[in-house]
């Protein structure tokens, strides 16, 4: 047996008498190390994470993403003996600080912690790479010079049945064009682990990249995922004992690989999905099952997958099966390697799934705070304006009462017309912004508690060729969340202003969609068209500087519409 330890670059750093991991992720490399005779072996003292098979020697053989160990100990030194192919990569968390452990071939001992003073450490060591890339691994034992403390399992439990999206494929990449390598995987940053983490739930990721319900990506003949429901290890005949992990919630996030390359046949997919749900229910009669569609399928393929899921659910008529659509983030890191969801998309998906589970299970879900970034396809000048103007908005004092204006450059223009609107005004207009961008900065809006909020957004989406749904969807979500958090605020959704003749058909399409959003969310729709349109439907020249933006007279017309609403909400002192 070879003894290895971490390199000095990953050693604990001394600061004010405390020893902490370096803030930047580190890689633990193999170096010779002597084991002190005072160390005592603590075989089986850790809590296994994920499914496993006990070996004849008492080790835990594992293979699923994010499987590994958790333990708490008080001491100076912690090591673990692991058997691996020599290609596996582990994620090591020590008191929340992350580092990377690249395993050597064969059975080796790895120094995970080495501290000059005794301290209490919470440790998780989990698999980053998938079994099809790097094979299985076995945690033979852990050794500590101190006291290993009890590590009770969380009460809530969630089981995920999924593919590469659930496994965190390529998540360490920042673009859809980055080259995949096993080290780019990040199951701990997948939507599944993020959502479960917000609930404080223990999770099992039964996920393999490229697998489907009835058909795998690229005609891979390996077993499809429903055949893995009982498996203790990926693609292995060893059966898992369900009594060791009884999930409260099961998330079935499959279908992308069935439809991404070729049509598996609707009837075959429907029946396969129905059988999968039936088998899950038979094994876990008390669990709530969530079916997931998206987020990578588009158009007809997306609709086909949803059709199969809905058909299966209708056939079973199980009240404890629900469904949710997950969507990518349009801001920040939308993509990871090879067109997989990026890290911000994973956060967005986790929030959507978490909110759905919370509603179904009556659990509390504190949403993950998303970074506020401009839409990914915004022009460079627009991104610059977004960033600079957002900094200004963050400096605005919190509004209690008064009026909040949310929108793009047309709304931002009120800054130079300060005497036209009555009462206290908080201007959240950002030039170049789109519906997605407005939704992204919802957290800044929710700092305030205005009497009324006026929303005007969408005209910039025309230049990016966005569909009406790409405008209406984020606006609807924005209103629903704002209404939930600030129910005392009266929200008004305004129509997009007229503009040049070539854009008028799309303006009308957008406005029809926005009017429907207002009706669906119960807010008032203000149609500004009649006040600003010339006889040919374009923006009146006497109210505009360039056929798109308003001049002072235009803002006076707008003020005449808004001020009666603002004044009607004033409460007596």
């Amino acid at each position: 047996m070879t003894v290895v330890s971490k390199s000095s670059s990953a050693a604990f750093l001394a600061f004010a008498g405390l020893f902490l991991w370096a803030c930047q992720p580190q890689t633990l490399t193999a170096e010779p190390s002597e084991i002190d005779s005072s160390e005592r072996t603590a075989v089986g003292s850790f809590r296994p994470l994920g499914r496993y098979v006990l070996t004849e020697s008492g080790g835990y053989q594992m293979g699923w993403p994010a499987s590994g160990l958790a333990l708490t100990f008080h001491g100076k030194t912690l090591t673990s003996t692991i058997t691996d192919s020599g290609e596996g990569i582990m994620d090591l968390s020590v008191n929340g600080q992350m580092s990377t452990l690249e395993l050597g071939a064969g059975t080796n001992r790895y120094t995970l912690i080495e501290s000059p003073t005794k301290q209490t450490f919470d440790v998780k060591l989990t698999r980053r790479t998938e079994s099809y890339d790097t094979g299985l691994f076995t945690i033979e034992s852990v050794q500590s010079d101190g006291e290993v403390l009890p590590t009770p399992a969380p009460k809530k439990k969630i089981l995920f049945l999924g593919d590469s999206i659930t496994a965190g494929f390529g998540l360490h990449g920042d673009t859809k064009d980055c080259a995949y390598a096993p080290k780019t995987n990040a199951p701990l940053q997948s939507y599944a682990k993020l959502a479960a983490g917000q609930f404080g739930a223990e999770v099992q990721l039964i996920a393999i990249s490229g697998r489907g319900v009835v058909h795998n990506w690229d005609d891979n003949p390996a077993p499809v995922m429903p055949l893995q429901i009982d498996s203790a290890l990926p693609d292995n005949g060893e059966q898992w004992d369900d009594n060791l992990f009884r999930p409260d919630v099961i998330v079935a996030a499959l279908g992308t690989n069935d439809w991404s390359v070729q049509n598996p046949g609707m009837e075959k997919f429907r029946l396969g999905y129905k059988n999968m749900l039936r088998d899950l229910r038979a094994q876990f009669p008390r669990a709530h099952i969530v079916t997931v569609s998206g987020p990578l399928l588009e158009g007809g393929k997306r609709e086909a997958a949803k059709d199969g899921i809905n058909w299966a659910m209708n056939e079973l008529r199980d009240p404890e099966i629900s469904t949710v659509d997950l969507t990518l983030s349009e801001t920040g890191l939308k993509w990871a390697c090879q067109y997989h969801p990026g890290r911000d998309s994973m956060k967005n998906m986790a929030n959507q799934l978490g909110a759905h589970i919370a509603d179904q299970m009556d659990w509390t879900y504190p949403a993950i705070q998303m970074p506020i970034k401009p839409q990914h396809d915004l022009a460079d000048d627009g991104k610059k304006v977004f960033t600079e103007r957002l900094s200004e908005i963050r400096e605005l004092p919190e509004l209690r009462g008064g009026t909040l204006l949310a929108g793009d450059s047309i709304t931002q223009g009120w800054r130079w017309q300060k005497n036209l609107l009555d009462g206290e005004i908080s201007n959240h207009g950002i030039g170049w912004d789109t519906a997605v961008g407005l939704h992204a900065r919802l957290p800044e809006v929710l700092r305030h508690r205005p009497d009324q909020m006026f929303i005007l957004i969408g005209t910039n989406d025309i230049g990016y060729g966005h569909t009406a749904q790409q405008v209406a969807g984020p606006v609807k979500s924005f209103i629903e969340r704002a209404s939930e958090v600030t129910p005392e605020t009266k929200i008004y959704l305004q129509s997009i202003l007229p503009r040049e003749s070539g854009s008028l058909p799309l303006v009308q399409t957008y406005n029809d969609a926005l009017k429907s959003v207002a009706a669906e969310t119960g807010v008032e729709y203000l149609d500004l068209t009649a006040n600003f349109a010339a006889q040919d439907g374009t923006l009146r020249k006497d109210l505009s500087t360039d056929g798109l933006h308003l001049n002072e007279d235009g803002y006076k017309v707008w003020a005449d519409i808004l001020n009666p609403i603002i004044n009607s909400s004033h409460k007596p002192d």
Side-chain angles (χ1 to χ4, degrees):
M1 179 181 71
T2 303
V3 177
V4 299
S5 70
K6 63 181 181 300
S7 67
S8 58
S9 65
F12 279 88
L13 303 179
F15 178 74
L18 298 177
F19 291 83
L20 302 173
W21 283 105
C23 292
Q24 296 299 318
Q26 304 289 330
T27 299
L28 309 185
T29 56
E31 292 181 356
S33 173
E34 296 297 328
I35 300 299
D36 192 283
S37 59
S38 65
E39 289 184 334
R40 66 170 179 264
T41 301
V43 178
S45 59
F46 59 84
R47 177 167 61 85
L49 300 175
R51 296 182 176 183
Y52 56 85
V53 169
L54 286 174
T55 66
E56 292 182 0
S57 61
Y60 291 77
Q61 188 176 37
M62 298 177 166
W64 295 110
S67 56
L69 65 84
L71 63 84
T72 301
F73 89 102
H74 185 78
K76 294 181 180 181
T77 303
L78 178 72
T79 65
S80 180
T81 302
I82 303 173
T83 300
D84 191 74
S85 65
E87 298 176 315
I89 301 174
M90 309 292 286
D91 288 312
L92 175 63
S93 171
V94 178
N95 292 343
Q97 296 296 319
M98 300 300 300
S99 58
T100 302
L101 174 62
E102 297 181 356
L103 300 180
T107 301
N108 301 284
R109 183 179 294 183
Y110 301 87
T111 302
L112 306 180
I113 294 175
E114 192 170 42
S115 170
T117 60
K118 283 189 174 183
Q119 298 181 55
T120 299
F121 299 95
D122 291 316
V123 180
K124 288 186 175 67
L125 182 66
T126 55
R127 191 69 158 190
R128 175 186 295 188
T129 51
E130 290 194 62
S131 61
Y132 74 88
D133 265 331
T134 59
L136 305 175
F137 68 102
T138 303
I139 300 175
E140 305 289 356
S141 63
V142 294
Q143 299 80 223
S144 167
D145 67 341
E147 179 185 7
V148 178
L149 306 175
T151 55
K155 293 183 178 180
K156 296 184 178 71
K157 292 179 171 58
I158 305 178
L159 171 66
F160 285 83
L161 194 65
D163 50 32
S164 58
I165 302 172
T166 301
F169 180 98
L171 257 180
H172 281 296
D174 292 345
T175 70
K176 59 189 176 186
D177 301 316
C178 74
Y180 169 77
K183 66 181 180 181
T184 64
N185 285 346
L188 298 183
Q189 297 181 55
S190 74
Y191 76 95
K193 286 289 289 184
L194 294 177
Q198 293 297 91
F199 287 122
E202 187 168 8
V203 62
Q204 286 188 350
L205 304 186
I206 309 305
I208 304 177
S209 293
R211 304 298 174 86
V213 178
V214 298
H215 180 81
N216 296 328
W217 183 83
D218 202 26
D219 291 324
N220 185 340
V224 291
M225 287 311 299
L227 298 178
Q228 312 276 350
I229 293 173
D230 292 329
S231 297
L233 302 171
D235 295 336
N236 185 283
E238 293 276 359
Q239 186 159 341
W240 170 248
D241 182 357
D242 292 331
N243 292 317
L244 296 174
F245 187 93
R246 303 300 295 178
D248 302 289
V249 177
I250 301 169
V251 179
L254 291 165
T256 297
N257 292 306
D258 295 88
W259 294 95
S260 59
V261 177
Q262 65 186 53
N263 187 331
M266 178 55 72
E267 293 306 313
K268 181 179 179 181
F269 182 75
R270 284 177 171 179
L271 185 59
Y273 208 100
K274 175 186 174 182
N275 291 339
M276 177 182 70
L277 294 180
R278 182 199 60 204
D279 292 345
L280 287 170
R281 173 57 68 226
Q283 284 187 243
F284 306 104
R286 295 187 176 182
H288 182 85
I289 301 173
V290 180
T291 65
V292 172
S293 61
L296 297 184
L297 294 175
E298 296 180 344
K301 292 180 178 180
R302 182 179 180 86
E303 292 306 311
K306 290 177 65 175
D307 175 274
I309 294 171
N310 291 333
W311 180 89
M313 292 174 61
N314 289 334
E315 284 285 304
L316 295 174
R317 299 186 180 278
D318 186 332
E320 287 301 319
I321 300 180
S322 61
T323 189
V324 62
D325 289 337
L326 302 184
T327 59
L328 303 178
S329 171
E330 291 298 333
T331 61
L333 294 173
K334 178 178 182 178
W335 296 109
C337 295
Q338 296 185 358
Y339 286 84
H340 280 72
R343 293 191 292 281
D344 287 324
S345 287
M346 286 293 190
K347 293 175 184 176
N348 193 56
M349 293 160 59
N351 280 339
Q352 293 167 342
L353 177 63
H356 179 82
I357 292 175
D359 183 59
Q360 298 295 321
M361 301 296 292
D362 197 25
W363 291 352
T364 299
Y365 183 79
I368 300 167
Q369 294 301 309
M370 298 287 291
I372 302 177
K373 299 178 181 178
Q375 184 168 317
H376 73 284
D377 60 357
L378 203 64
D380 289 342
D381 287 346
K383 290 178 180 178
K384 183 173 183 293
V385 169
F386 185 99
T387 302
E388 292 175 351
R389 176 72 177 125
L390 183 61
S391 296
E392 296 176 357
I393 290 174
R394 283 173 166 159
E395 296 299 319
L396 294 174
E398 291 186 11
L399 191 66
R400 293 296 181 264
T403 301
L404 189 145
L405 306 172
D408 49 37
S409 60
I410 301 173
T411 294
Q412 187 178 350
W414 281 112
R415 297 174 68 198
W416 295 278
Q417 314 294 336
K418 294 182 178 179
N419 298 322
L420 294 180
L421 286 181
D422 297 334
E424 188 175 4
I425 305 297
S426 185
N427 190 319
H428 289 240
I430 298 184
W432 296 74
D433 206 9
T434 63
V436 164
L438 177 65
H439 183 271
R441 49 194 174 94
L442 179 60
E444 276 304 311
V445 172
L446 297 181
R447 286 198 300 116
H448 305 269
R449 295 295 184 269
D451 290 330
Q452 56 274 320
M453 181 193 309
F454 295 97
I455 302 170
L456 178 65
I457 197 71
T459 196
N460 291 319
D461 291 86
I462 292 174
Y464 286 96
H466 295 158
T467 65
Q469 185 54 43
Q470 286 175 303
V471 175
V475 172
K476 181 179 180 182
S477 180
F478 179 99
I479 293 173
E480 288 175 338
R481 182 59 176 161
S483 298
E484 178 185 352
V485 175
T486 62
E488 70 277 10
T489 300
K490 180 75 172 178
I491 299 176
Y492 298 87
L493 180 57
Q494 302 166 100
S495 64
I496 299 171
L497 294 178
R499 46 184 294 170
E500 73 281 358
S501 58
S503 297
L504 292 181
L506 200 50
V507 169
Q508 185 60 54
T509 300
Y510 282 10
N511 282 338
D512 289 343
L514 292 174
K515 187 175 183 179
S516 295
V517 166
E520 293 167 4
T521 56
V523 303
E524 188 167 340
Y525 180 71
L526 297 181
D527 193 341
L528 308 178
T529 305
N531 300 83
F532 288 93
Q535 288 187 346
D536 62 356
T538 61
L539 184 61
R540 283 169 50 184
K541 292 181 180 179
D542 61 317
L543 303 181
S544 174
T545 59
D546 56 4
L548 178 63
H549 297 89
L550 298 179
N551 58 23
E552 185 175 358
D553 289 337
Y555 282 100
K556 288 179 180 178
V557 170
W558 199 359
D560 288 341
I561 299 171
L562 301 189
N563 276 330
I565 299 173
I566 294 172
N567 292 324
S568 68
S569 70
H570 286 175
K571 302 175 178 62
D573 295 333

